[in-house]
Amino acid sequence: MESGPAIFAGTVFTLFGAGLLLWTGVRVMHRAPVADGVNPVASATLATLASVASLALGVWCFGRF
């Protein structure tokens, strides 16, 4: 019974993290700003850290069931 929410949460975290990492990578490759009006290095770093944290949470959720 507890595996259903863990699978759902793991899927959501993993998809969000992968999408954010892909989007950030494409923006950086094209030298486009990741966030408007913010230091490009800081915004790319923060977005990358958030995506890696989300991927780690997704893996952790998948390990719970």
Side-chain angles (χ1 to χ4, degrees):
M1 191 69 176
E2 294 177 357
S3 64
I7 292 170
F8 177 75
T11 303
V12 169
F13 279 125
T14 304
L15 286 175
F16 175 75
L20 182 60
L21 190 61
L22 178 68
W23 181 79
T24 303
V26 168
R27 299 293 288 182
V28 169
M29 280 181 26
H30 289 113
R31 299 205 187 272
V34 176
D36 286 332
V38 182
N39 183 357
V41 175
S43 61
T45 302
L46 185 61
T48 302
L49 288 175
S51 64
V52 168
S54 182
L55 285 171
L57 276 171
V59 169
W60 181 77
C61 286
F62 283 134
R64 299 291 296 167
F65 70 93

